[in-house]
Amino acid sequence: MPAITYVVPDGSVHVVDVPVGQSVMDGSVRNNLPGIVAECGGSCSCATCHVYLDGEFADRFDDATDEEQELLEYAEGARPTSRLSCQLIVTGSCDGVRVTVAPEA
Amino acid sequence: MARNPGPRPAHTDGPQQAAGPEARVVVVGAGHGGAALVALLRQGGHRGEIVLIGDEPEHPYQRPPLSKKFTSGELEQVIRPREFYAEQQVVLQLGERVTGLDAAAQKLTTTSGGTFGYDFLVLATGARPRPLPAPGANLDGVAALRTLADARVLRDWLAERRRLVIVGAGYIGLEVAAVATAAGVPVTVLEREERVLNRVASSELSAILTAAHGARGVDIRVDAQVCALAGNGAVREVVLGSGGTLPADGVLVGIGAIPNTELAEAAGLACAGGIVVDETARTSDPAVLAIGDATVRPVAGVGRMRLESIPSATEQAKQAAATILGTPPPAPELPWFWSDQLDLKLKIAGVVLPGREVVLRGDPGIGRFALFHLERGQVRAVETANSPAEFMAGKKLIASGVLVDPVRLADPAVPLRDVSTGAC
């Protein structure tokens, strides 16, 4: 199972095994990590699962849809590396991926 | 120890309220608010006992799919995996109701005879569908939509292609109408007011949605009174105030919800159309908090009101967690809401009130637009469809209180970061 590293807003680091096919958001919710609220349950509606995905891992996931890009454009703390973790679906090539949860997620 | 000045009778022999990570917490209601709270408490380092009591047999589940995805395999979605609660040392009491509450002694009992003492009781009791005040409302084939069990009934109706009449053009009614119509089931929506979403949306949005539903074949009738439901055992027709009738194999009643305040009232808590809470989720009893649809809560710029939404319940769960843990209260959040209808992803931020200037940006004809509600040049609310940037930027404009130029705001070619006049 791919291991995903989460850096959460209090600075602590958590390594979590996330099953292939689940989202990076699911892995956080499943393990009750702080920071990702996931208010809309993963329907790309709320932007409360905002993370920064380091550039070296960007190609491990599908590109952001127009909808995700628009949500992120005006999200609090938005950066070029911003993604919504509900849209980051884990595949076999995601082992070792590291995300930083945005402060206002 | 200082005596508590609150309305709760002082007592010295019973358990005492004590904020902090060791407090015993009992949460009544396992919906979105209750489920969020127990997770947030453990995230915040809470070590004390946590009991979560829910009257439905299911583990806490996502409610939005009940009206949006009830014909699909995505209907049944748990909020957290079922094993989550045991792993987080949350005692889950499902299919249980509270049968007795002794607020002075800080303990309650449940249907199966369990007794739970608490330092903090959190009422997350939600709301129940308002029953149709008309003869025949108890016939077979008349249903409401609040629970997973309700949604399964609705799903079965649609599978049988039964003619559906929906009473009430609120969000639930319109979402179900959209799904049913897409599934090829004939739907008529009856609304007693002059427009759909009369209580919660602007007249501009109502008009756009009415047209969109009509174009997809949903038969919406406003100013329509339901006098009675008729049938022999099972409903067969709806008798209208106009004297006419409508054939119906199933009737969905979606005319609003009644907050479940009975437990709060029995405990002597202040209630006024909901359990009265402050911005820390406290009720009039310092040992009792309340969150979610059952509450009337402070809303910045509006006053106290009932907000029926997941974001509001989640925000109040954060407030309650901070109160229980004795940590600083979270920053106030802007109310928001979402709804999926037809091919429209609707997102609304702020509280929509009448009498404001409404600025349209985008094109309702292609299903991509935003309605900005201005008051003295400031954005107070925004209703958007398929416009996530307008929604997110709108939230920021509302929160900042910056003055905006309505002409630039209406022009989709002007980026939303350039619509302010620069003054506050």
Side-chain angles (χ1 to χ4, degrees):
Chain A
M1 218 183 287
I4 309 289
T5 299
Y6 298 78
V7 182
V8 306
D10 68 8
S12 61
V13 178
H14 306 259
V15 181
V16 166
D17 292 333
V18 182
V20 168
Q22 291 197 1
S23 68
V24 170
M25 179 201 84
D26 290 328
S28 173
V29 168
R30 175 71 184 78
N31 291 279
N32 207 22
L33 303 183
I36 290 179
V37 179
E39 213 156 52
C40 74
S43 60
C44 200
S45 288
C46 68
T48 63
C49 66
H50 180 190
V51 299
Y52 306 118
L53 177 69
D54 288 351
E56 62 183 296
F57 305 120
D59 63 355
R60 311 286 180 92
F61 300 95
D62 287 346
D63 290 341
T65 61
D66 290 349
E67 182 178 34
E68 184 187 343
Q69 286 182 34
E70 277 200 45
L71 276 168
L72 285 167
E73 185 181 353
Y74 289 94
E76 204 65 46
R79 298 178 194 162
T81 57
S82 289
R83 292 295 308 260
L84 295 181
S85 58
C86 69
Q87 303 301 303
L88 299 176
I89 305 301
V90 171
T91 66
S93 68
C94 292
D95 191 51
V97 162
R98 178 185 176 97
V99 296
T100 302
V101 179
E104 286 292 313
Chain B
M1 185 171 182
R3 283 173 64 113
N4 198 318
R8 187 164 54 95
H11 56 89
T12 52
D13 51 348
Q16 297 291 307
Q17 175 217 357
E22 308 296 340
R24 293 172 307 161
V25 180
V26 175
V27 182
V28 180
H32 282 274
L37 174 59
V38 300
L40 287 168
L41 284 171
R42 289 296 185 228
Q43 281 178 24
H46 194 77
R47 295 185 297 270
E49 182 179 83
I50 300 176
V51 179
L52 179 60
I53 301 170
D55 61 1
E56 294 176 60
E58 287 90 4
H59 285 70
Y61 58 83
Q62 300 280 356
R63 252 176 240 279
L66 305 189
S67 53
K68 299 172 176 72
K69 294 181 173 171
F70 58 92
T71 56
S72 82
E74 296 174 77
L75 168 60
E76 304 194 14
Q77 299 178 38
V78 288
I79 293 176
R80 308 263 175 175
R82 289 172 181 78
E83 56 273 24
F84 175 86
Y85 301 92
E87 288 170 6
Q88 296 290 320
Q89 295 187 302
V90 171
V91 178
L92 206 48
Q93 298 278 299
L94 298 176
E96 293 280 325
R97 285 177 176 274
V98 175
T99 52
L101 169 60
D102 184 341
Q106 293 181 210
K107 66 181 181 187
L108 55 77
T109 52
T110 60
T111 11
S112 64
T115 299
F116 301 93
Y118 61 83
D119 298 303
F120 283 102
L121 170 65
V122 184
L123 299 177
T125 46
R128 60 181 178 277
R130 184 178 298 282
L132 183 68
N138 294 324
L139 288 167
D140 285 347
V142 181
L145 180 54
R146 181 82 193 177
T147 65
L148 195 47
D150 295 335
R152 293 183 187 123
V153 168
L154 200 57
R155 178 185 60 193
D156 294 346
W157 286 2
L158 260 59
E160 296 163 17
R161 308 260 166 205
R162 301 171 80 172
R163 288 166 301 181
L164 185 60
V165 172
I166 297 173
V167 182
Y171 279 111
I172 299 256
L174 292 181
E175 288 179 356
V176 171
V179 174
T181 303
V185 174
V187 182
T188 302
V189 180
L190 302 174
E191 170 56 51
R192 75 175 177 179
E193 304 292 340
E194 62 181 16
R195 62 181 177 90
V196 305
L197 298 173
N198 182 58
R199 199 169 51 89
V200 285
S202 66
S203 55
E204 288 83 355
L205 182 60
S206 290
I208 294 167
L209 290 177
T210 300
H213 279 271
R216 294 300 183 86
V218 182
D219 177 11
I220 296 179
R221 304 185 190 180
V222 296
D223 292 319
Q225 302 286 333
V226 173
C227 287
L229 305 178
N232 185 10
V235 69
R236 279 286 159 261
E237 62 182 19
V238 179
V239 182
L240 301 171
S242 61
T245 61
L246 270 179
D249 303 308
V251 174
L252 176 73
V253 178
I255 55 172
I258 300 170
N260 293 323
T261 58
E262 287 76 6
L263 204 53
E265 286 168 26
L269 305 182
C271 293
I275 308 169
V276 177
V277 295
D278 65 13
E279 65 287 344
T280 67
R282 284 187 191 273
T283 69
S284 56
D285 179 336
V288 183
L289 312 180
I291 62 176
D293 288 10
T295 67
V296 282
R297 50 157 293 173
V299 176
V302 179
R304 240 182 253 281
M305 65 183 293
R306 209 157 74 77
L307 288 178
E308 297 173 80
S309 72
I310 292 171
S312 174
T314 307
E315 181 192 13
Q316 289 181 294
K318 293 176 198 166
Q319 296 168 351
T323 298
I324 291 167
L325 290 163
T327 54
E333 295 176 16
L334 186 69
W336 74 279
F337 187 83
W338 82 93
S339 172
D340 300 334
Q341 296 175 31
L342 312 166
D343 49 4
L344 302 174
K345 274 187 102 167
L346 301 171
K347 289 194 243 257
I348 294 120
V351 177
V352 173
L353 295 175
R356 291 173 176 157
E357 179 186 1
V358 176
V359 174
L360 170 68
R361 178 183 171 100
D363 181 2
I366 59 166
R368 191 171 161 88
F369 62 91
L371 296 159
F372 288 88
H373 296 243
L374 309 189
E375 197 173 57
R376 292 189 294 276
Q378 294 174 311
V379 180
R380 297 292 190 208
V382 63
E383 301 169 295
T384 70
N386 296 338
S387 300
E390 275 71 12
F391 169 71
M392 295 295 285
K395 286 207 295 187
K396 284 190 159 175
L397 290 171
I398 296 167
S400 71
V402 71
L403 291 174
V404 297
D405 175 355
V407 176
R408 293 159 69 82
L409 188 60
D411 182 355
V414 177
L416 285 162
R417 47 178 58 86
D418 298 330
V419 297
S420 101
T421 61
C424 278

